[in-house]
Amino acid sequence: MFGMKPTEAAPSGRVVRVGIVGCGMVTQVVHIPTLNFLSHLFQVTYLCDVSEDATRHSQLKVAGASKPKTTRSVEDLCIAPEVDLVLIATNHAFHASDAMLALQANKHVFIEKPIALTLRDTDLIINAEKAAGGAKVFVGYMRRYAAAFSDAVKEVRSIGQIRYARVRDIIGPNSVFVAQSGTYPRTFSDYREEDSEALRTKTQDDIQQAVQAELGLTVTKETEMMWQMLSILGSHDLSAMREILGMPDDVVGFSPCAVTGSPFWSAIFQYPDFAVAYESGVDQVARFDASIEIFGDTKTVKVCIDTPFIKGLPTTMVIKDSLPDGSYRESTIRRTYKDPFTLELKEVYEWIVDGKAPKTGAADARQDLEILGMLMKAVGK
């Protein structure tokens, strides 16, 4: 009665071999532990990072009878026969170049969000994916794989006419949550100067390309900071907003963050029949306050999201509605304790083994950059 159920076997009997590019915080705190938990589906066989200390540390964290190979060369990892899936968790400036190497090697590619910082790099990935036969890229928007979020997408269809919606993502320092994750990640500084210079150069090139060339705006400290904040944190919110509500028609107004102090920003998106209030920011308060709330005439549906860095914290759906007798009902539904990263990786497995197309593909992720552009152009409206 109180015992454990037998571990589910891989439906096909196949274990997907994973090569991870980038052994930083997200890999140490999220990807390696989750892949270890799903050892009946995945095995990490290769690690790559410009920090050799980071690869050695991460190598020790990988479960399995044999330890993964390590390398500084992305290309070596991508062409390795013992790699089926290339998981890209490098700095977003290098997502396109890393993904293209993996696609040219005919591998399936998982890219941590954001897919890239520019439409140019995103289109390079999309074109490389087409050349590789299509359906080869999965972008890591894990919030969209939370069970409560999937339930809310269905529940919103029963609302009827949407009257209003609110998207909120105000969080404290990630370091607070990471320190309590039980994963004990480490940072390292054994970077070669040429690697650091390559990152600085590519980051500045991306900002010039995104802000000036693609949006026609002037690159300033303010626009540079806003673009990076929207790309890194805002893309989570906007991607989820798109799935549940669709693409907005316009941005009525946008208040960007300041370059000093805690960054906060807000906007109003216009849809054909309703508006969406969007507010986000990062401060020094140790809490994670993220949600999407959709209002109808007789029902409200809300998805409540907690930090992803502490495993097992549930994402919940809250429904508020009126009963036929006029009384008020509020229900909180937690369908599972399985975290979004675990559910996301199960979808990754089905994509690779069964050919199930991912909903968070490269073309889908491109739309988030389009929304970021809408926000940036709306400053001063």
Side-chain angles (χ1 to χ4, degrees):
M1 179 178 179
F2 298 106
M4 295 187 299
K5 293 182 179 180
T7 301
E8 58 182 287
S12 67
R14 177 183 173 187
V15 173
V16 173
R17 300 166 299 177
V18 184
I20 301 177
V21 183
C23 295
M25 185 269 289
V26 172
T27 290
Q28 294 180 40
V29 175
V30 174
H31 291 308
I32 288 177
T34 307
L35 289 164
N36 285 344
F37 284 132
L38 296 174
S39 59
H40 59 298
L41 303 179
F42 299 96
Q43 178 62 51
V44 179
T45 56
Y46 228 123
L47 296 170
C48 175
D49 199 282
V50 293
S51 164
E52 294 175 357
D53 288 342
T55 54
R56 281 192 289 267
H57 176 74
S58 298
Q59 186 184 44
L60 296 174
K61 299 291 186 178
V62 174
S66 60
K67 292 301 179 184
K69 294 181 178 180
T70 63
T71 181
R72 294 185 80 258
S73 168
V74 178
E75 184 175 10
D76 286 352
L77 181 148
C78 291
I79 64 175
E82 60 265 51
V83 171
D84 304 311
L85 169 67
V86 177
L87 191 158
I88 297 173
T90 50
N91 186 285
H92 37 261
F94 298 124
H95 283 184
S97 58
D98 294 343
M100 289 172 68
L101 286 172
L103 290 165
Q104 288 163 8
N106 200 34
K107 306 292 186 176
H108 284 81
V109 186
F110 178 102
I111 306 174
E112 260 301 343
K113 67 86 199 167
I115 186 172
L117 277 180
T118 67
L119 292 173
R120 175 192 61 190
D121 277 6
T122 302
D123 289 339
L124 287 173
I125 295 171
I126 291 171
N127 291 333
E129 179 186 34
K130 290 177 181 175
K136 289 279 190 177
V137 175
F138 191 118
V139 183
Y141 285 112
M142 84 291 179
R143 288 186 186 180
R144 290 172 61 183
Y145 293 94
F149 179 80
S150 299
D151 292 343
V153 171
K154 298 173 185 176
E155 190 67 33
V156 166
R157 297 173 191 156
S158 69
I159 282 181
Q161 176 60 54
I162 296 173
R163 300 300 181 187
Y164 178 65
R166 185 165 55 206
V167 178
R168 178 182 176 92
D169 197 350
I170 297 175
I171 64 173
N174 275 337
S175 58
V176 173
F177 312 117
V178 169
Q180 299 177 68
S181 67
T183 57
Y184 305 103
R186 292 183 60 191
T187 58
F188 300 93
S189 58
D190 60 322
Y191 302 114
R192 301 179 185 181
E193 179 55 35
E194 56 264 37
D195 295 322
S196 299
E197 180 58 31
L199 176 58
R200 285 192 293 268
T201 300
K202 183 60 166 67
T203 299
Q204 287 305 307
D205 177 69
D206 281 350
I207 292 296
Q208 291 290 331
Q209 175 67 25
V211 176
Q212 184 170 307
E214 294 175 0
L215 296 178
L217 302 174
T218 302
V219 177
T220 64
K221 287 183 179 179
E222 290 77 12
T223 56
E224 179 175 349
M225 181 175 180
M226 193 67 256
W227 185 255
Q228 296 215 24
M229 294 301 296
L230 285 172
S231 302
I232 297 168
L233 179 60
S235 56
H236 263 313
D237 313 312
L238 303 176
S239 181
M241 181 185 78
R242 277 193 304 104
E243 181 171 348
I244 204 165
L245 298 172
M247 282 286 285
D249 291 341
D250 194 12
V251 178
V252 177
F254 177 49
S255 175
C257 64
V259 294
T260 58
S262 298
F264 279 83
W265 60 94
S266 59
I268 300 291
F269 290 104
Q270 187 62 57
Y271 283 75
D273 301 309
F274 60 92
V276 176
Y278 168 49
E279 56 183 1
S280 188
V282 181
D283 58 18
Q284 300 302 309
V285 181
R287 54 85 177 83
F288 200 99
D289 183 4
S291 63
I292 300 177
E293 192 167 16
I294 299 94
F295 298 80
D297 290 319
T298 60
K299 180 187 286 188
T300 299
V301 177
K302 184 177 185 180
V303 183
C304 300
I305 303 158
D306 213 322
T307 175
F309 295 119
I310 299 177
K311 203 165 187 65
L313 293 181
T315 300
T316 59
M317 175 174 64
V318 178
I319 300 174
K320 305 171 186 178
D321 57 0
S322 295
L323 300 178
D325 64 359
S327 58
Y328 169 77
R329 175 175 60 185
E330 182 171 333
S331 307
T332 300
I333 298 97
R334 174 191 43 77
R335 179 152 61 89
T336 181
Y337 276 112
K338 290 180 182 177
D339 62 278
F341 279 113
T342 297
L343 296 171
E344 178 183 57
L345 279 176
K346 288 190 170 185
E347 290 283 338
V348 168
Y349 185 86
E350 292 184 14
W351 162 56
I352 296 172
V353 174
D354 301 327
K356 180 181 177 182
K359 65 181 180 180
T360 55
D364 173 87
R366 191 185 194 278
Q367 292 183 297
D368 297 322
L369 287 172
E370 294 172 11
I371 297 179
L372 301 191
M374 293 169 61
L375 286 168
M376 296 290 288
K377 288 182 177 180
V379 174
K381 271 192 176 181

